[in-house]
Every structure is written in structure tokens, then in C-alpha cells.
Amino acid sequence: VETHAELAVTLQEVAEQEAVTPQIAAAEQEAVTSRVERLASSGIHFIPKEYVRTEEECKSIGDAFEKEKKYDEGPQIPVVDLKGIDSEDKEVREKCMEELKKASMEWGVMHLVNHGIPEDLLTRLREVGKTFFDQPIEEKEKYANDVASGKMAGYGSKLANCASGQLEWVDYFFHLAFPDDKRDMSIWPKIPTEYTEVTIEYATQLRSLVTKVLALLSLGLELEEERLENEVGGMDDLLLQLKINYYPKCPQPELALGVEAHTDVSALTFITHNMVPGLQVYIEGKWVTATYVPNSIIVHIGDTIEILSNGKYKSILHRGLVNKEKVRISWAVFCEPPREKIVLKPLPELVTESEPALFLPRTFAQHLQQKLFNTIDPDQALTK
């Protein structure tokens, strides 16, 4: 981590670069309205001010590879082995459930191993996603989304967040992956040709894993096995939204973030990546960098499960770093309840005099609006 003085010098260099070479600054500004990949490949040495994080944030941002090397120096994201969940031995099954419960309550994030999804399928998923992003930007633009008009699905770049006013160093491809009757196949990539087959197979297998994890979380709350799945929409209405995040190399990674600090609004989020470090979670007052665990899938508890569990399961604050050396790609699947059909509130079995409801009732759409656009009346806001 840079010292305060070093950080001030670096921030000053950005300002001086824009002042001394206005033509470069103008070119960079034009790129800001386009794609981060185009900006990253333009040969710039200084990132535009729109991507520079606040001075306070920059104090904790550093090189992802260096931070990963220091992984053993602090708390580590737990690894939960699901192999025992189908054991005939009751004690083995209960031990597995307790490990997942503990990780969900104390961290809100974990590496899942022996999760049942074949490694060769994860490899193929990463290959087809990378092949899509390896295409020229002009080809990818054929799938461009239009957030302003409400067309979220497709190829895009993060717009300025109304809370921070800053841009994130990431392009992405976003679409609904499951259930099949709700997919809009017209916006799925045609290249590579295997994209559809591989993504559908992954979404189908992942949906089974979602059921298994929700069942374990239900049992961990001493509820019936199907309870949480039913509360988030069940097989018919729970949506699996796939977002492939593409983080180009960044000339000043100590000043930028691929994704700013946030909690997920989803019930659960499942992540695989191309083994390039970048994910950080905030725990015990510090940012912890996730290392690569072979054949694992990262799982986040989202706001939806935190609300239903009345805060027993934690929705973890996390962010994404970038680096100078390698492109990072991650595949995140957000498991979202139907937006208007279900009212999210703490389950009555989990509310007592000593543990009153921590969250006010709201639909998923209301929660999403409040989180992303801050348009909900503050009196309706969660107490979180």
C-alpha cells in the first residue's frame, strides 16, 4: 500500500499529465464514453480522472498479484467441501452443513470444492467467454446494450455510479441464463458457436447446485429443507443472471477499481474466473484478497438471503482489483428472486423479542432501486 505522500504524488501526476498534454486527455475523454478495453489498448500511461478512486480508497488499493502473495498473512476465505453432503453417514452430512453454515454466518463468502460441476465444463465455459471477448470491439458492439432505455442485457461498460460519480475499469457481457423459458436467445453471442451449448449446460448444472446450497442454508437455520428456495422463487421464478466481467490491463492499478465496494442484491452469487487474482472481501476491518483454489467455485451470500435470515447469514462487502500484467475475466451468476412477486422480509420463525426484525419489508425491485439508484424513500430503507 502506498504511503499518503506517495499517493498524493501519483494523483498529482495524473493532473499534470492532463494539463501538459491536452490532446491526450481529450482522446482519453472520448474513450471514456466507449469501452475500457479500447482505452486500455490505446497506449495511455495515465488513466483518465473519471477512473481515479477517492484518496481514501486509494490508500488500500494495490497490486493484486502482490496482495495475493500475502494471502497467508491474515484471515483467509473459508473452503467448504461439499463431498460429504451426500454421505450415508449422518455425522459426515452434518459436519458439511455446519461448515457451510459457519462460513455463511461469519464470512458470507466461501470457496466451494467438490461441488459437482465437472472441471472440464468450467474450462469450456471460460474458453467460450474468452473467445467472445477476444473478438474485435466492433464485433462485440453488435451485442451492445442500452442501459438508458432499460435494455440491460448485452455487451456494455459500467456507467458512472451515482453514489461515487466514478467509472469502473471493466467491460462486461450480461444476460439471463436460466430458466430456459425466460431466456432471450437473440442477444446471446453467435461467436463462438459453442457459446450457447456450453452456457446452457453450465446454467442447468449450476441450478442444481443452487438448490443444494439453499437446502443446506435452510437446514442451518433449522427450517425445512425447501424453505429458502421457495422464498426466493423456486425453480420457476428464481432467475440466474450471467455476467462475464472483462477487466483489461490497467496502467495505474493502484488508482482504479474493476468493481467498487458493494454487496450483491442477489440471493446467492456464484463466481468462477481465469485464475487471475482481483477479488477482495472486507472482513475484520481489512480487505482480504481471494487466492485461487483449484476446481472451486466462489459463493457469495447476497442481500436477499441476509434479509430472509434476519442477518444471521452475512452479505459480504467486496470489490475487484485490476493489474498491469494480465487481463482478468470472471463469470458471475446472480441468483435473483422475482422482482415484484415476493416480499422480502425476515422469516417469522427467525424474529423474536430478543432478535427483532432488522429489515423492513420490500420487493426485490424496491431493494434493487434503493441500492443502485437511491430512489426509495429513506424511511423505507433497510436498517442495515
Side-chain angles (χ1 to χ4, degrees):
V1 178
E2 290 183 284
T3 66
H4 182 79
E6 290 171 333
L7 178 60
V9 170
T10 307
L11 292 169
Q12 179 62 27
E13 286 174 346
V14 175
E16 290 175 355
Q17 175 72 0
E18 290 184 344
V20 173
T21 55
Q23 69 276 16
I24 293 178
E28 291 174 353
Q29 178 58 39
E30 182 180 353
V32 166
T33 63
S34 180
R35 303 298 176 203
V36 179
E37 180 186 0
R38 192 184 300 280
L39 176 59
S41 62
S42 66
I44 62 168
H45 299 290
F46 300 86
I47 63 174
K49 62 181 181 298
E50 287 83 1
Y51 292 92
V52 177
R53 308 308 302 185
T54 66
E55 187 171 328
E56 188 60 33
E57 284 178 293
C58 288
K59 290 176 184 177
S60 65
I61 298 174
D63 182 272
F65 288 98
E66 289 301 316
K67 288 186 176 291
E68 187 189 38
K69 290 175 186 175
K70 299 178 180 178
Y71 180 75
D72 293 333
E73 295 179 7
Q76 300 177 20
I77 295 172
V79 177
V80 176
D81 190 341
L82 287 186
K83 184 177 182 180
I85 204 59
D86 296 318
S87 171
E88 294 181 1
D89 188 326
K90 182 182 178 183
E91 287 188 8
V92 173
R93 293 198 306 272
E94 288 182 350
K95 183 176 184 292
C96 180
M97 184 193 75
E98 283 300 318
E99 287 180 356
L100 188 139
K101 174 184 173 180
K102 187 172 187 286
S104 300
M105 287 183 165
E106 295 180 0
W107 281 78
V109 63
M110 69 208 78
H111 299 278
L112 278 188
V113 297
N114 290 314
H115 42 68
I117 297 180
E119 178 60 21
D120 72 302
L121 177 56
L122 292 174
T123 299
R124 289 162 59 210
L125 179 78
R126 292 189 284 262
E127 286 174 350
V128 295
K130 180 180 183 299
T131 300
F132 172 77
F133 273 99
D134 281 347
Q135 295 180 98
I137 292 176
E138 291 70 27
E139 287 300 312
K140 290 177 287 202
E141 289 292 356
K142 295 176 181 178
Y143 301 93
N145 63 4
D146 185 1
V147 176
S149 68
K151 181 190 172 188
M152 305 297 292
Y155 173 61
S157 303
K158 182 70 182 290
L159 300 177
N161 183 292
C162 57
S164 69
Q166 297 304 103
L167 293 166
E168 297 171 337
W169 195 263
V170 62
D171 297 327
Y172 62 82
F173 193 87
F174 177 77
H175 65 77
L176 188 143
F178 193 94
D180 55 3
D181 62 338
K182 294 180 171 66
R183 296 176 183 132
D184 179 4
M185 306 304 295
S186 68
I187 55 94
W188 285 38
K190 304 298 186 291
I191 297 175
T193 54
E194 303 87 0
Y195 182 92
T196 295
E197 175 190 349
V198 172
T199 303
I200 287 177
E201 184 178 352
Y202 176 65
T204 302
Q205 294 209 29
L206 186 64
R207 187 61 184 84
S208 297
L209 179 59
V210 172
T211 293
K212 183 176 290 188
V213 172
L214 288 173
L216 292 173
L217 291 173
S218 292
L219 293 171
L221 296 171
E222 299 183 0
L223 302 170
E224 58 272 22
E225 197 170 324
E226 304 83 9
R227 184 64 183 281
L228 284 177
E229 172 140 6
N230 291 337
E231 292 289 342
V232 296
M235 191 60 72
D236 292 335
D237 289 326
L238 183 67
L239 305 179
L240 270 57
Q241 307 273 17
L242 171 63
K243 188 181 181 196
I244 308 175
N245 291 304
Y246 182 89
Y247 306 97
K249 298 176 190 177
C250 180
Q252 291 181 296
E254 70 280 4
L255 298 181
L257 284 174
V259 177
E260 65 185 10
H262 68 288
T263 61
D264 289 346
V265 296
S266 60
L268 299 169
T269 302
F270 291 78
I271 301 171
T272 185
H273 57 82
N274 66 338
M275 284 71 83
V276 175
L279 173 65
Q280 287 191 317
V281 300
Y282 193 74
I283 192 151
E284 297 180 7
K286 64 178 69 176
W287 286 104
V288 175
T289 304
T291 192
Y292 173 61
V293 175
N295 304 328
S296 71
I297 294 178
I298 296 170
V299 181
H300 286 285
I301 300 294
D303 294 350
T304 295
I305 292 295
E306 182 177 61
I307 293 168
L308 293 171
S309 71
N310 199 29
K312 288 181 170 56
Y313 294 139
K314 307 300 182 188
S315 183
I316 186 73
L317 186 69
H318 58 284
R319 69 182 185 184
L321 301 184
V322 291
N323 70 85
K324 287 183 179 181
E325 302 170 42
K326 293 184 178 180
V327 170
R328 181 170 186 264
I329 310 177
S330 68
W331 288 256
V333 175
F334 304 97
C335 305
E336 298 181 356
R339 297 202 168 191
E340 302 287 358
K341 195 172 182 179
I342 293 172
V343 175
L344 299 177
K345 61 182 179 180
L347 298 177
E349 299 94 322
L350 306 177
V351 177
T352 64
E353 273 193 39
S354 60
E355 294 183 308
L358 299 177
F359 308 97
L360 297 175
R362 60 175 51 197
T363 64
F364 183 73
Q366 288 174 320
H367 182 58
L368 188 63
Q369 268 195 315
Q370 193 273 329
K371 285 272 297 225
L372 299 183
F373 307 109
N374 200 28
T375 56
I376 293 288
D377 187 323
D379 291 336
Q380 299 179 17
L382 297 180
T383 58
K384 176 182 174 181

